[in-house]
Amino acid sequence: MNVLKAAIVGLALISANTPVRADVIADWNNTAMDVMKAVNVTGNPWTRSMALVNVSMSDAVNSVQNRYSRYMPELPSDPSASAEAAAATAAREILMRQYPGQKERIDAAFAETMKAVPDNPARVAGIDLGEKVAGAIYAERQSDATNMPDTYRPLTTPGVWVPTTPPLFPQYATAKPWGMESASQFRPAPPPALNSALYARDYNETREMGGLKSTKRTDAQSDAVRFWTQANLAPSWFQAATQASARHGLSVPESARVFALMSMALANCYVVDWDAKFQYNFWRPITAIRNGDQDGNDATERDAGWQPLNTTPMHPEYPSQAGINAGAARGVLEAVFGSGTQGVIATDASDARLSRKFDSFAQMAREHEEVRIWGGIHFRNSLEAGDAMGRKVADHLVANYIKPAR
């Protein structure tokens, strides 16, 4: 099968499983992802930007239609404005403030949206409203401490080598989350003691399943590991939200709510998780397994040359980022769409020929988490603790933000 034919077949499969309805919210989520892909923004800053875009769009839409409560209720409202124009303008304004070098791409997306919005006073009012809402949201988040200088101090003793690549975004450990009291609000209990049976269980599972030369990991599991790279972790959940929103025929305010809640939840994951990670500073499997004879546990055999299938991320192991992301995204989507069958096709951000098909958000979340064991970069308890944290973040936001106004 040639590349063109494969692409056509892939699109047909997606269309058959997820009837797509054009939607200003989904369109601008795609634009935001394209913009950040062009400038290579990933991880913590990626989720922050997506939250800024989606909260701004949700507040802009509800400043017109008042279907759901707003993140900033004191913002101006204008029932005469175009909700579509307000949402698109809010997204454009946020993206332009963060990525001015992508002006041509952003302006082209805005012009495309405006083709479907009548050129009348409602559009003018919507543009004005969207600019005001985005400006207020952007200003409010300038004090979230995510841009503080990196002052992480490696802990060591004089003369002892430590890894010389700094950890990724350590300042997020003390950043301000969206709609929560503090980064430590859902901090989990410490990781299991090194001499415990639970730690031995997790150690041996990851050593056997996650090693570069593992004979127990299947080819299918290895394929899943290779799909769930950093580039696909959060974007795949936005694909799931887009497909579910289209399938259920959500209105613009309903769609804006879904994306705003999920964006806030995922952005919070990188704050509450970093708080816990740098609180406990727990070692990664590659360090633990190569030092298995020094952990005080007779059930953990040292493997001196062990290497994981995945490259180990540059931040502490516990709790798992994949676990908390999956728990948070699944929690929001199930709160809106239910926990039953929800067909999802997650497509690779770099190669549209590669995809994963799931029958439910729960199934997608499980694979999202399991690959971190199969890839050798996490222990199971870390995934379980992360998933529980993510569900708490989702439950808190759904219960307290963007609630039905009437």
Side-chain angles (χ1 to χ4, degrees):
M1 183 181 293
N2 62 35
V3 173
L4 177 59
K5 185 176 180 181
I8 293 172
V9 170
L11 288 172
L13 286 172
I14 293 175
S15 298
N17 287 279
T18 56
V20 175
R21 182 174 65 88
D23 172 51
V24 65
I25 305 301
D27 289 346
W28 277 93
N29 270 276
N30 289 333
T31 296
M33 288 189 278
D34 287 343
V35 165
M36 288 190 282
K37 183 178 180 181
V39 292
N40 196 32
V41 175
T42 61
N44 309 45
W46 191 97
T47 57
R48 180 179 184 269
S49 290
M50 292 300 285
L52 280 165
V53 166
N54 281 294
V55 172
S56 295
M57 286 200 291
S58 180
D59 273 15
V61 168
N62 286 296
S63 292
V64 177
Q65 298 189 359
N66 194 32
R67 286 285 307 280
Y68 298 97
S69 61
R70 294 174 293 175
Y71 183 77
M72 295 184 66
E74 68 273 17
L75 291 171
S77 60
D78 186 352
S80 70
S82 162
E84 288 81 2
T89 302
R92 180 188 66 172
E93 184 73 10
I94 290 294
L95 292 173
M96 284 295 294
R97 288 180 180 230
Q98 295 185 98
Y99 310 109
Q102 291 294 301
K103 183 179 186 301
E104 183 176 351
R105 186 188 302 269
I106 296 166
D107 282 346
F110 187 74
E112 186 66 27
T113 299
M114 289 299 107
K115 289 179 182 179
V117 180
D119 187 1
N120 57 25
R123 181 166 87 168
V124 174
I127 291 172
D128 180 64
L129 182 64
E131 289 176 348
K132 290 177 180 177
V133 169
I137 296 289
Y138 187 83
E140 192 272 340
R141 295 308 297 182
Q142 294 313 292
S143 60
D144 65 6
T146 57
N147 292 316
M148 295 293 288
D150 177 0
T151 58
Y152 177 77
R153 181 171 181 167
L155 298 177
T156 184
T157 55
V160 176
W161 180 85
V162 294
T164 52
T165 300
L168 293 173
F169 309 110
Q171 59 268 51
Y172 273 68
T174 55
K176 176 185 175 183
W178 292 80
M180 290 174 50
E181 294 176 4
S182 70
S184 61
Q185 186 170 343
F186 299 124
R187 183 187 291 171
L194 298 185
N195 61 358
S196 67
L198 177 59
Y199 175 73
R201 179 205 71 174
D202 291 353
Y203 176 105
N204 288 308
E205 179 185 28
T206 298
R207 181 170 68 89
E208 294 173 356
M209 294 295 297
L212 180 64
K213 299 178 180 179
S214 171
T215 58
K216 293 193 174 182
R217 184 181 56 247
T218 67
D219 289 343
Q221 289 169 335
S222 295
D223 287 342
V225 172
R226 284 186 280 269
F227 176 85
W228 286 106
T229 62
Q230 180 67 51
N232 289 329
L233 283 178
S236 291
W237 287 104
F238 281 85
Q239 293 175 17
T242 297
Q243 292 165 27
S245 296
R247 185 182 303 112
H248 289 267
L250 298 192
S251 66
V252 170
E254 290 169 334
S255 180
R257 173 177 180 255
V258 171
F259 282 96
L261 286 171
M262 191 176 74
S263 295
M264 286 195 291
L266 288 172
N268 282 350
C269 290
Y270 283 87
V271 177
V272 301
D273 192 31
W274 257 238
D275 162 78
K277 281 180 179 291
F278 287 96
Q279 170 69 25
Y280 297 122
N281 211 36
F282 198 62
W283 57 4
R284 286 280 183 172
I286 189 170
T287 308
I289 293 169
R290 287 184 171 222
N291 290 281
D293 57 339
Q294 297 184 30
D295 59 17
N297 195 322
D298 292 339
T300 58
E301 181 180 350
R302 182 193 182 209
D303 188 338
W306 190 88
Q307 295 184 55
L309 177 61
N310 266 358
T311 300
T312 298
M314 273 306 298
H315 44 78
E317 192 272 341
Y318 177 88
S320 163
Q321 184 61 47
I324 189 172
N325 280 6
R330 174 190 173 189
V332 169
L333 294 180
E334 287 187 344
V336 176
F337 299 110
S339 58
T341 299
Q342 295 285 346
V344 175
I345 297 177
T347 303
D348 189 281
S350 300
D351 187 347
R353 296 170 299 177
L354 302 177
S355 63
R356 310 288 295 176
K357 186 175 180 180
F358 306 98
D359 295 328
S360 66
F361 302 132
Q363 185 186 40
M364 182 170 166
R366 280 195 297 273
E367 181 172 280
H368 183 148
E369 297 175 3
E370 292 285 335
V371 294
R372 305 323 243 184
I373 295 173
W374 304 338
I377 60 174
H378 271 303
F379 299 119
R380 182 167 297 280
N381 180 260
S382 186
L383 293 165
E384 293 169 348
D387 185 273
M389 289 173 68
R391 297 303 292 265
K392 290 176 181 177
V393 168
D395 291 346
H396 173 79
L397 291 175
V398 170
N400 292 285
Y401 289 88
I402 320 182
K403 298 184 294 183
R406 57 178 182 269

